[in-house]
């Protein structure tokens, strides 16, 4: 005879369907820890459901950060997810993999190393931390030099273009360094080397050049900057160095623009940062900074600890961090090699050119980006359009696309731009689909009054019923609207 027994309601909760349990219909506390536990499957499903409302990372065309890796690398990442990189004595192989990455990258950037010499560099959580570390090294070297000369060392400055990423502003503010910015101009959206060198004085700790501007992807002329700086250093004896922020371009230029001189081939370039999680083709969380020689990183900035089992040198702003991204970077370097990276970058450039040509065919946009640089397309509406780039950006989200709109920094803040970043996983098919959706948005906007006129009352348009508003007057309102949007959006933080 088959025996049966009853169970209480609580027990049934654990054997029934996740969506049949009470946990999916009960509001959970959002800003404080709940009093009781919930089943693991319910917790997973609740979070997974909410995350569905996020955008699709592969359709996020605002970001330079990698959104796809091979399944084999995904497995390596998960296998090492519980390793703390800072425990070097416990995980010596992981430490060795980081050292190999540093040496590969330094040699890729033509560091003057012998066959048996070891490169000076470190892995970071991204280029922001890398820039902080490089800036600290420049500041300390400058201070030591000034102290030895018996001169004041309390007013350091750094020269950059106004197009730098916000991490440079953070460095200047956090570490009390004056930021001297070279302003932009319409049609020239990178730092002018001549103007930059004019701003250099005896208190300049370095000049920061950008290999791949966040705004337009353009490479700054590091070679020209170096030549002008060498001449000024010879005249003044200041020996002002260059740091190259190659966050986006450092894994592009060596493979498809090998003749371009921007790295340690130039004598005044003392350090370079690069984002492994951008065109290094690794998920978010890895950056690198390498120095020309060991003398360019003051030993006094390196800490030595032994409470994890052995003497361990460390030069980072944080302490604990995961090992997964370092292992993933090593995977990509040995998996792809020079040939593989070159193929990926050539594909990105080819898809960028296709997208650029298709956007030009609409005859509605001006292209602001260059063919040589980071593979992206930056474009703005032609002439005095009744609609704005911000409206196009907003409407493209209905198709799933995340395409940022932003205004340029000073003195080009009257220019508004849309930008599409071409990553490894952005195919030609997606490029063609994006243009199709842009055309749909343009056609829809053509049938609508401007967003400005919808927000303004009839009184603001002259109270003339049935008569067409004069173009000049309408454009004044549109310019006012763009200024309003610009004031609400800070641009230097575009990533």
């Amino acid at each position: 005879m088959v025996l049966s027994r009853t169970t209480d309601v609580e027990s049934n909760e654990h054997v029934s369907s996740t969506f049949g349990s009470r946990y999916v219909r009960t509001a959970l506390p959002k800003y404080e820890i709940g009093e009781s536990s919930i089943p693991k499957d319910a917790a997973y499903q609740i979070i997974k459901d909410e995350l569905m409302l996020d955008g699709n990372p592969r359709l996020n065309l605002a970001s330079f950060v990698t959104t796809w890796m091979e399944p084999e690398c995904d497995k390596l990442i998960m296998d090492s997810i519980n390793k703390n990189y800072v425990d070097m004595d416990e995980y010596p192989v992981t430490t060795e993999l980081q050292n190999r990455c540093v040496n590969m990258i330094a040699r890729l950037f033509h560091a003057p190393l012998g066959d048996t010499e070891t490169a000076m560099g470190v892995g970071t959580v991204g280029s922001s931390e890398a820039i902080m570390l490089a800036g600290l090294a420049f500041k300390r070297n400058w201070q030591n030099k000034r102290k030895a000369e018996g001169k004041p060392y309390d007013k350091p400055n750094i020269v950059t273009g106004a197009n730098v990423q916000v991490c440079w502003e953070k460095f200047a503010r956090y570490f009390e360094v004056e930021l001297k910015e070279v302003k932009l101009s319409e049609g020239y959206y990178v730092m002018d080397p001549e103007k930059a060198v004019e701003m250099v004085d005896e208190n300049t700790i370095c000049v920061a050049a950008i290999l791949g501007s966040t705004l337009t992807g353009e490479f700054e002329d590091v070679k020209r900057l170096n030549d002008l700086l060498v001449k000024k250093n010879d005249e003044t004896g200041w020996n002002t160095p260059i740091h190259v922020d190659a966050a986006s371009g450092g894994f592009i230029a060596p493979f498809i623009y090998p003749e371009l001189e921007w790295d340690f081939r130039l004598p005044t370039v003392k350090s370079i940062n690069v984002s492994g999680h951008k065109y290094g083709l690794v998920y978010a969380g890895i950056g690198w900074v390498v120095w020309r020689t060991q003398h360019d990183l003051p030993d006094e900035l390196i800490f030595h600890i032994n409470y994890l089992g052995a003497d361990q040198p460390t030069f980072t702003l944080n302490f604990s961090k995961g090992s997964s991204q370092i292992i993933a970077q090593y995977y990509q370097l040995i998996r792809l090699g020079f040939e593989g990276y070159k193929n990926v970058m050539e594909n990105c450039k080819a898809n960028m050119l296709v997208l650029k040509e298709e956007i030009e065919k609409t005859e509605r946009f001006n292209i602001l980006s260059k063919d040589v640089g980071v593979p992206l397309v930056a474009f703005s509406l032609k002439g005095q359009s009744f609609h704005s780039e911000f409206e196009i950006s907003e409407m493209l989200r209905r198709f799933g696309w995340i395409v940022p709109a932003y205004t340029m920094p000073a003195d080009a803040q009257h220019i508004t731009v849309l930008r599409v970043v071409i990553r490894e996983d952005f195919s030609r098919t997606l490029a063609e689909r994006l243009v199709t959706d842009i055309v749909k948005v343009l056609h829809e906007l053509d049938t609508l009054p401007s967003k400005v006129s919808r927000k303004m009352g009839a009184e603001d348009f002259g109270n003339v019923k049935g008569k067409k508003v004069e173009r000049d007057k309408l454009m004044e309102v549109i310019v006012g609207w763009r200024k309003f949007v610009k004031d609400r959006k800070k641009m230097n933080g575009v990533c």
Side-chain angles (χ1 to χ4, degrees), residues 264-282:
F264 292 124
R265 286 171 288 183
L266 305 175
T268 59
V269 174
K270 301 300 183 183
S271 57
I272 301 171
N273 70 275
V274 64
S275 290
H277 60 220
K278 292 182 181 176
Y279 289 93
L281 307 181
V282 178

Side-chain angles (χ1 to χ4, degrees), residues 220-228 242 260-262 266:
E220 293 184 341
D221 192 345
V222 187
K223 177 67 165 60
R224 177 62 177 160
L225 178 65
N226 171 83
D227 294 345
L228 292 171
I242 292 175
L260 184 67
E261 294 184 43
W262 62 273
L266 305 175

Side-chain angles (χ1 to χ4, degrees), residues 205-268:
I205 63 174
C206 78
V207 180
I210 313 297
L211 193 77
S213 170
T214 297
L215 303 175
T216 63
E218 187 174 352
F219 293 164
E220 293 184 341
D221 192 345
V222 187
K223 177 67 165 60
R224 177 62 177 160
L225 178 65
N226 171 83
D227 294 345
L228 292 171
L229 207 50
V230 166
K231 182 179 179 182
K232 187 159 189 172
N233 286 339
D234 289 342
E235 294 171 353
T236 62
W238 293 336
N239 293 323
T240 305
I242 292 175
H243 174 84
V244 179
D245 179 357
S248 298
F251 276 111
I252 297 172
F255 302 108
I256 58 176
Y257 307 113
E259 74 289 343
L260 184 67
E261 294 184 43
W262 62 273
D263 52 17
F264 292 124
R265 286 171 288 183
L266 305 175
T268 59

